[in-house]
Amino acid sequence: MTKPITKKPELLAPAGNLEKLKFAIHYGADAVYIGGTQFGLRSKAGNFSYEDMEEGIAFARKYGAKVYVAANIIAHNENLSGAKDFFKALYDIGIDAVIIADPALITACKEAAPNLEIHISTQASIVNWRTVDFWKKEGIPRVVLAREVSIKEMKEMKEKLDIELEAFIHGAMCISYSGRCVLSNHMTARDANRGGCAQSCRWKYDLFEDGIDGAVSVSEQADEAYTMSSQDLSMVEHMPDLLELGVDSLKIEGRMKSIHYVATVVNVYRKIIDTYFEDPENFTLNPAWVDEIWKAAQRSLTTAFYYQEPTEKDQLFGKPDRIPKYDFSGLVLDYDETTEIATIQQRNSFGVGDEIEFFGPNFYHFKQTIQAIWDENGEPIDRAKHAMMITKVKVDQPVRYYDMMRKQK
C-alpha cells in the first residue's frame, strides 16, 4: 500500500540564467535546476559561471530554496577532463545536488566531492522499479524518471522502494526514447546527448509518394508538414494523481524558455499544490489555472505516457490548435501607493489604449486598459517602444516588485 503523504512535493523549476532563477523562486519554486559551463545538455542556455552560481545560491537561500546543477551528458573520453575539479567546485560553493546520467561522471563526483548529493538524470532512461532499486543500493537518494513512465509504474515504484522519485509534469517532450536520441547527430553532426541537440524532430518534413512519373509530394494535402514533433506535456488538470501517489519532486522542463513562461507555469503549479494540500478531500480544479497555462503554452498539450501509450493525437500533425499568444510587456520595478503609479521596465512594446494584464505570485491577476504613460523624465508618451526603457504607468490596483505585465498579441 502506498505510504500516506506527509509533506508537499518539491516544485522544481528550470533556470537557464540568473534572472530566470530569481523569477522561478520568486513565483514559488522550491528548487531550481541550472547548468554550468561544462557537462550539461543545454549548451545554448545562458549557463552559469561559478560566480553566477554563488549569487543564485545566495538568492535561493533567502527564500529557503535549493539549487541543483545538471551535469547530465553522456560523456565520451574527451569529455571527462576536468570533471573532478568541476564537482569539487560545485560542492565548495554550496550547490545542493547534481543531476548526472553517466556512471563515469558519477564516479568522478563521488571521488572528488563525496558529500555532494547525486540525483540520477532522466537521461539514464529509468523506467522500472528494479533499476530504481539498483541506484538506491548505490547510495543514490533520488532518481529522475524517464518521461515514458506511467502513473501505474510510478505507483509500483513507490510501493516497493523508499527512495525519492522526481517526475516531469510540464514542458517539451522528446519524440525519441529519453536519453537515447541520435537523430540530431545523424542530420547535423550535433550530439544530442552531449548538449548539442538541433531538435531535428521539430523540423517540417516533406512526404513523397513514389509514382510512375517520379516522386510526388503529398504534403500539400496536410495543414502542417510535421511528422515527428510531439505535443508538450502538461499535467495541470491531473495533479491529484501525482500528489496522492507521493512523487517527491515535480519537475518543469524549460531552461531555454522565457522568464514569462517560467513565472507563469511555476505560478500555476504552486497554486494547485498549495490549494490541494489545504483540503485534499474537497479539492477541485479551477478553470482559471488551466486558462493560465495556455497563456504560456508554445504548443498543444498532452499527458504523454502517464495514462496510456501516446498516439497520433499526441503529435503536432495536421491543423494546429489556435493557441492565444501573449507578449511579456513589462516588469514592475516599483509602486507608489499615493499616486497609484507603477514604475515599469519595458520588455515588449505597449501603448496607451492597450488592454494589458498584470500578474504576480500567488496567482494575483487583474486586467486594465492603459490610460497614460510617462517616460523616466516624467514626459507623457503614447507608446513604450524602446527595449528596456523605464516608464511610469497609472495602475488600477496595487502591484509589487517582480510582478509582470503582458498583453495578448
Side-chain angles (χ1 to χ4, degrees):
M1 185 175 182
T2 303
K3 296 179 182 179
I5 305 169
T6 58
K7 64 177 182 178
K8 291 181 184 180
E10 172 186 86
L11 180 58
L12 177 56
N17 57 35
L18 193 55
E19 182 183 45
K20 293 175 186 178
L21 178 149
K22 293 178 179 180
F23 272 90
I25 293 172
H26 192 77
Y27 276 76
D30 299 303
V32 295
Y33 61 101
I34 67 175
T37 56
Q38 303 176 75
F39 308 112
L41 280 180
R42 291 292 181 267
S43 60
K44 293 186 179 298
N47 291 313
F48 285 62
S49 65
Y50 293 134
E51 291 76 16
D52 286 341
M53 289 183 189
E54 289 175 341
E55 183 176 344
I57 291 168
F59 184 89
R61 294 289 182 269
K62 286 174 55 179
Y63 291 88
K66 294 181 178 182
V67 180
Y68 309 143
V69 171
N72 53 349
I73 66 167
I74 305 302
H76 288 235
N77 291 337
E78 65 267 24
N79 303 125
L80 297 175
S81 176
K84 289 185 178 182
D85 292 339
F86 179 72
F87 293 121
K88 177 67 164 56
L90 297 186
Y91 178 74
D92 289 343
I93 64 177
I95 290 295
D96 293 284
V98 286
I99 306 168
I100 311 178
D102 194 309
L105 294 179
I106 292 171
T107 300
C109 182
K110 286 184 173 182
E111 291 177 354
N115 294 319
L116 180 56
E117 187 170 301
I118 296 173
H119 300 167
I120 302 301
S121 170
T122 190
Q123 294 300 111
S125 305
I126 298 172
V127 294
N128 66 77
W129 73 266
R130 289 191 181 275
T131 301
V132 177
D133 190 42
F134 169 84
W135 288 115
K136 175 179 170 58
K137 290 174 180 175
E138 289 292 311
I140 299 298
R142 179 188 294 187
V143 298
V144 187
L145 299 176
R147 291 170 175 86
E148 293 79 17
V149 176
S150 68
I151 289 280
K152 181 180 178 181
E153 289 168 325
M154 286 184 194
K155 184 174 186 295
E156 186 175 7
M157 293 173 185
K158 292 300 293 185
E159 289 172 345
K160 291 181 180 295
L161 301 168
D162 183 18
I163 184 174
E164 290 187 3
L165 300 182
E166 180 177 309
F168 283 92
I169 57 171
H170 199 92
M173 293 286 293
C174 182
I175 194 66
S176 186
Y177 214 82
S178 290
R180 300 180 187 178
C181 183
V182 293
L183 187 64
S184 174
N185 307 50
H186 175 70
M187 300 187 71
T188 68
R190 288 170 50 179
D191 193 336
N193 297 308
R194 287 193 284 175
C197 183
Q199 296 198 3
S200 306
C201 59
R202 298 290 185 189
W203 300 351
K204 294 182 180 181
Y205 292 91
D206 212 341
L207 182 64
F208 293 90
E209 180 180 5
D210 192 10
I212 297 175
D213 298 324
V216 179
S217 171
V218 297
S219 63
E220 294 178 1
Q221 301 172 27
D223 295 294
E224 287 287 348
Y226 292 109
T227 54
M228 292 185 286
S229 191
S230 171
Q231 295 179 0
D232 282 1
L233 171 66
S234 176
M235 287 293 285
V236 70
E237 298 185 59
H238 307 275
M239 285 301 292
D241 290 345
L242 291 172
L243 298 175
E244 292 166 11
L245 193 62
V247 176
D248 301 275
S249 181
L250 303 173
K251 189 170 192 172
I252 298 166
E253 182 276 337
R255 279 193 284 147
M256 301 287 285
K257 297 291 180 66
S258 68
I259 56 173
H260 172 257
Y261 179 94
V262 172
T264 300
V265 175
V266 169
N267 208 8
V268 171
Y269 283 103
R270 176 80 277 154
K271 187 65 174 178
I272 292 174
I273 294 168
D274 291 347
T275 302
Y276 176 87
F277 276 88
E278 287 171 3
D279 188 1
E281 293 184 1
N282 296 304
F283 174 84
T284 57
L285 182 70
N286 186 336
W289 301 335
V290 181
D291 292 342
E292 184 74 2
I293 279 292
W294 282 104
K295 294 176 183 178
Q298 303 293 314
R299 306 180 181 100
S300 301
L301 300 176
T302 175
T303 55
F305 290 83
Y306 273 113
Y307 299 102
Q308 61 189 19
E309 290 291 318
T311 70
E312 71 280 0
K313 295 180 180 179
D314 301 288
Q315 302 299 113
L316 297 177
F317 185 76
K319 190 175 183 179
D321 291 338
R322 293 184 177 274
I323 300 173
K325 297 184 183 297
Y326 287 79
D327 274 333
F328 169 34
S329 300
L331 175 65
V332 175
L333 301 180
D334 195 16
Y335 171 69
D336 189 318
E337 294 183 0
T338 303
T339 63
E340 298 180 338
I341 290 176
T343 302
I344 296 175
Q345 182 187 66
Q346 187 260 33
R347 293 299 181 99
N348 273 292
S349 176
F350 63 89
V352 173
D354 287 350
E355 182 181 75
I356 50 91
E357 179 181 30
F358 284 98
F359 72 99
N362 199 32
F363 215 70
Y364 179 71
H365 289 76
F366 71 92
K367 293 181 180 180
Q368 72 168 71
T369 299
I370 295 179
Q371 302 295 334
I373 308 173
W374 299 269
D375 65 18
E376 60 184 328
N377 298 317
E379 297 296 324
I381 56 176
D382 291 329
R383 178 158 292 276
K385 57 186 178 181
H386 302 299
M388 306 295 281
M389 69 183 295
I390 305 301
T391 66
K392 306 281 187 179
V393 175
K394 181 84 170 180
V395 291
D396 294 348
Q397 296 183 35
V399 290
R400 297 163 294 180
Y401 179 55
Y402 265 83
D403 283 358
M404 302 173 78
M405 186 179 84
R406 64 183 169 212
K407 67 173 184 175
Q408 189 169 346
K409 291 185 180 179

